[in-house]
């Protein structure tokens, strides 16, 4: 309530900086487009909350009230605990609730996870495993909650961050132990396979992203077929094959946009993806997509060009600045016209913007044309964050623009598109919410404050 009293009704030009700003209208569009794409292909969706860490965006990701399962991924137990009131609300409405802890389970977290799961219905918690030694630590969960823990085996499909190769003997041995509960017959339930295509951040087109998605689904489908051939008793049991990352998951959205003829490359790729999903169902399994940064988007996602714009009318065939919901509000602290090339100092450095690179340019953030005299409609002001330290950001000319460089003045407020929204948001306790669907004279008005969780 104190945050609402402090900010709601004020304009962005009137508040202290740096601040994290979210456009609710864009978040809503991005979330809706993701759900529509999953429905069109009849696949399940499990949103990741690690980027925003708020109840408000989780609601939009799940898609109330017309979806009936509140299945989410968290990267920290703090995220799960923060969502607890919302999950109880969903559970009380009769919706299926499941929280997947998105790292192969660290043993020290089991007790806290069980304390969380004890307050939810049986079957509400899922963990990942990718090593046999993790299993013996899971017994504690059942002892505290009284119900078995659902387990997904984390599969490495090429990213090599976490997971086990499905072609390895270790994979077959791990699955066998999960199915029989390990040496101590631990009460656990095998739910399926999970992978993360983090290497999809290197793609540069929707076609590349969809190709990676097909490869990822195929890898898990073949792994599931192998499991069922080795264990005939579960041959007709339905497992979930959970795949994705924002570039691959959002690439599905192109299927809603492509209206090409049957001989076009896009049509052939669409047919290949649909056939891939169909083969999963033939094996009695179910495809589930997961993604996290797509409600906000950022410079890294724009660089992939994996999904179409959710803005209508869109400014082009792919993502644009009009699809980025998250910006960092800052101000010009000083100007340096005497340098070889003009530069400016902003009161936002790596602690506010993060220090994640982007493959499409060499800077640390793009200055939008909001609040400037730039007439360029593509969202750029002609400035970028060229150098960065903890609390200092140095603005330099954006080399992609050779004219219409906005004039700057000391004290001027600016909004920065960060390279990686997950990292940039981590410095802030809350988001100041605006809504570009409101009348234009209210676009800069703060209409809400969304509190994000912190810590682990």
């Amino acid at each position: 309530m104190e945050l609402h009293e402090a900010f709601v009704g004020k304009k962005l030009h009137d508040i202290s900086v740096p601040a994290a700003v979210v456009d609710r209208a864009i978040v809503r569009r991005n979330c809706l487009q993701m759900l529509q794409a999953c429905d069109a292909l009849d696949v399940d969706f499990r949103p990741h909350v690690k980027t925003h860490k708020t109840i408000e965006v989780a609601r939009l990701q799940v898609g109330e009230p017309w979806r009936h399962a509140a299945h989410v991924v968290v990267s920290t137990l703090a995220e799960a605990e923060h969502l607890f009131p919302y999950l109880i609300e969903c559970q009380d409405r009769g919706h299926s609730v499941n929280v997947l802890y998105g790292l192969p389970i660290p043993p020290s977290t089991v007790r806290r996870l069980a304390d969380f799961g004890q307050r939810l219905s049986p079957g509400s918690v899922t963990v990942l495993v990718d090593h046999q030694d993790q299993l013996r630590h899971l017994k504690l969960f059942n002892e505290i909650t009284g119900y078995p823990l659902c387990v997904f085996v984390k599969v490495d499909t090429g990213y090599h961050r976490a997971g086990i190769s499905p072609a390895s003997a270790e994979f077959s041995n791990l699955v066998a132990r999960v199915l029989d509960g390990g040496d101590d017959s631990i009460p656990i339930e095998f739910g399926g396979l999970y992978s993360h295509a983090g290497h999809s951040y290197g793609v540069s087109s929707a076609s590349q992203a969809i190709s990676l998605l097909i490869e990822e689904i195929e890898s898990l489908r073949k792994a599931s077929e192998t499991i069922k051939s080795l264990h005939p008793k579960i041959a007709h049991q339905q497992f979930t094959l959970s795949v994705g990352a924002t570039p691959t998951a959002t690439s599905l959205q192109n299927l809603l946009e492509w209206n090409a003829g049957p001989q076009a490359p896009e049509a052939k790729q669409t047919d290949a993806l649909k056939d891939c999903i169909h083969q999963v169902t033939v094996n009695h399994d179910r495809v589930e997509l997961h993604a996290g940064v797509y409600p906000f988007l950022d410079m890294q996602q724009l660089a992939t060009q994996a999904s179409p714009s959710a803005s209508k009318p869109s400014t082009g065939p792919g993502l644009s600045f009009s699809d980025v919901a998250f910006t960092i509000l800052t101000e010009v602290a000083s100007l340096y016209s005497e340098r070889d090339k003009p530069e400016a100092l902003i009161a936002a450095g790596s602690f506010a913007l993060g220090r994640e690179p982007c493959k499409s340019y060499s800077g640390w953030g793009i200055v939008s044309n909001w609040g400037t005299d730039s007439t360029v409609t593509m969202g750029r002001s002609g400035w970028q964050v060229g150098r960065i330290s903890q609390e200092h950001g140095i603005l330099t000319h954006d080399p992609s623009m050779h004219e219409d460089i906005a004039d700057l003045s000391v004290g001027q407020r600016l909004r920065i598109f960060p390279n990686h929204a997950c990292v940039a948001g981590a410095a802030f306790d809350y988001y100041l919410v605006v809504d570009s669907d409101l009348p234009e004279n209210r676009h800069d008005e703060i209409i809400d404050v969304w509190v994000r969780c912190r810590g682990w």
Side-chain angles (χ1 to χ4, degrees):
M1 183 61 70
E2 291 182 1
L3 288 173
H4 281 73
E5 292 175 352
F7 293 110
V8 172
K10 291 187 177 180
K11 299 289 188 178
L12 293 180
H13 293 279
D14 300 328
I15 64 170
S16 299
V17 295
V21 178
V22 169
D23 189 323
R24 183 177 63 184
I26 299 176
V27 172
R28 187 185 293 114
R29 288 197 297 269
N30 291 344
C31 289
L32 180 60
Q33 184 167 259
M34 185 73 251
L35 293 171
Q36 289 174 335
C38 289
D39 280 356
L41 277 178
D42 190 27
V43 297
D44 296 329
F45 183 60
R46 183 185 291 265
H48 208 314
V49 304
K50 68 185 179 69
T51 300
H52 58 85
K53 301 176 186 278
T54 70
I55 290 176
E56 291 85 353
V57 179
R59 289 183 185 277
L60 295 173
Q61 288 181 296
V62 169
E64 299 178 304
W66 54 284
R67 292 186 77 87
H68 304 290
H71 293 184
V72 299
V73 193
V74 300
S75 285
T76 67
L77 294 184
E79 294 166 13
E81 292 161 349
H82 185 68
L83 290 181
F84 182 75
Y86 167 61
L87 298 173
I88 288 293
E89 177 187 330
C90 292
Q91 187 174 277
D92 289 346
R93 292 184 189 173
H95 294 181
S96 173
V97 169
N98 187 269
V99 177
L100 187 153
Y101 184 34
L103 279 74
I105 184 74
S108 65
T109 64
V110 174
R111 179 176 293 277
R112 184 174 163 197
L113 188 63
D115 290 340
F116 168 78
Q118 190 176 25
R119 299 180 289 167
L120 294 171
S121 298
S124 298
V125 179
T126 299
V127 298
L128 303 177
V129 297
D130 61 1
H131 194 280
Q132 294 185 42
D133 289 352
Q134 294 158 345
L135 298 179
R136 60 187 174 89
H137 298 280
L138 305 183
K139 187 175 183 179
L140 180 61
F141 184 92
N142 176 258
E143 292 174 350
I144 293 175
T145 65
Y147 66 84
L149 186 60
C150 183
V151 171
F152 278 34
V153 172
K154 179 68 180 287
V155 176
D156 179 9
T157 55
Y159 190 35
H160 305 318
R161 182 176 71 178
I164 187 169
S165 169
S168 66
E170 289 82 359
F171 173 79
S172 297
N173 293 336
L174 174 59
V175 171
R177 292 198 63 194
V178 170
L179 290 172
D180 66 19
D183 294 338
D184 300 324
S185 295
I186 299 167
I188 53 179
E189 294 181 350
F190 180 45
L193 306 174
Y194 183 101
S195 67
H196 173 66
H199 49 307
S200 64
Y201 278 57
V203 306
S204 300
S205 69
S207 178
Q208 292 175 5
I210 291 178
S211 294
L212 270 181
L213 179 60
I214 292 173
E215 291 176 14
E216 190 180 10
I217 296 173
E218 276 291 290
S219 180
L220 266 60
R221 181 186 66 81
K222 291 176 181 177
S224 178
E225 286 183 348
T226 299
I227 292 170
K228 292 182 176 182
S229 68
L230 293 173
H231 305 275
K233 290 183 179 180
I234 61 170
H236 296 288
Q237 186 173 334
Q238 184 180 85
F239 298 131
T240 297
L241 308 185
S242 191
V243 299
T246 287
T248 51
T250 58
S251 70
L252 283 185
Q253 297 165 8
N254 292 282
L255 306 186
L256 304 178
E257 303 288 326
W258 288 343
N259 294 307
Q263 301 304 314
E266 294 91 345
K268 294 179 180 179
Q269 198 170 36
T270 298
D271 290 342
L273 178 58
K274 290 180 178 178
D275 181 66
C276 180
I277 294 170
H278 174 69
Q279 292 305 314
V280 170
T281 62
V282 168
N283 196 42
H284 305 287
D285 291 333
R286 184 81 181 160
V287 172
E288 173 188 86
L289 291 182
H290 52 257
V293 73
Y294 71 96
F296 282 7
L297 298 177
D298 51 31
M299 291 303 300
Q300 288 183 349
Q301 295 303 318
L302 263 62
T304 70
Q305 285 299 296
S307 63
S309 173
S311 300
K312 303 299 179 191
S314 65
T315 56
L319 294 173
S320 70
F321 290 105
S322 65
D323 298 298
V324 181
F326 176 55
T327 54
I328 301 299
L329 180 69
T330 184
E331 70 179 326
V332 178
S334 191
L335 300 169
Y336 307 110
S337 59
E338 77 283 1
R339 296 180 181 174
D340 291 341
K341 293 182 179 179
E343 295 182 338
L345 174 68
I346 58 170
S350 60
F351 285 174
L353 296 170
R355 201 180 184 92
E356 293 266 320
C358 179
K359 69 176 184 177
S360 64
Y361 77 114
S362 60
W364 305 102
I366 293 292
V367 181
S368 78
N369 60 1
W370 176 89
T372 73
D373 59 1
S374 173
T375 59
V376 178
T377 59
M378 56 193 273
R380 304 175 94 109
S381 65
W383 296 90
Q384 67 179 34
V385 184
R387 301 193 304 279
I388 202 168
S389 57
Q390 290 180 356
E391 304 294 353
H392 298 67
I394 304 300
L395 300 187
T396 59
H397 280 182
D398 183 342
S400 69
M401 297 178 61
H402 304 290
E403 56 185 21
D404 197 32
I405 307 299
D407 292 328
L408 301 179
S409 59
V410 172
Q412 182 177 357
R413 301 302 171 92
L414 301 172
R415 289 168 71 179
I416 312 292
F417 296 115
N419 285 352
H420 192 170
C422 304
V423 177
F428 298 92
D429 294 316
Y430 50 83
Y431 302 110
L432 302 180
V433 182
V434 296
D435 193 320
S436 56
D437 279 347
L438 293 175
E440 188 171 357
N441 64 347
R442 298 187 61 194
H443 282 187
D444 298 335
E445 178 185 334
I446 299 168
I447 60 167
D448 204 352
V449 181
W450 293 345
V451 175
R452 39 176 289 135
C453 73
R454 301 289 296 274
W456 288 264

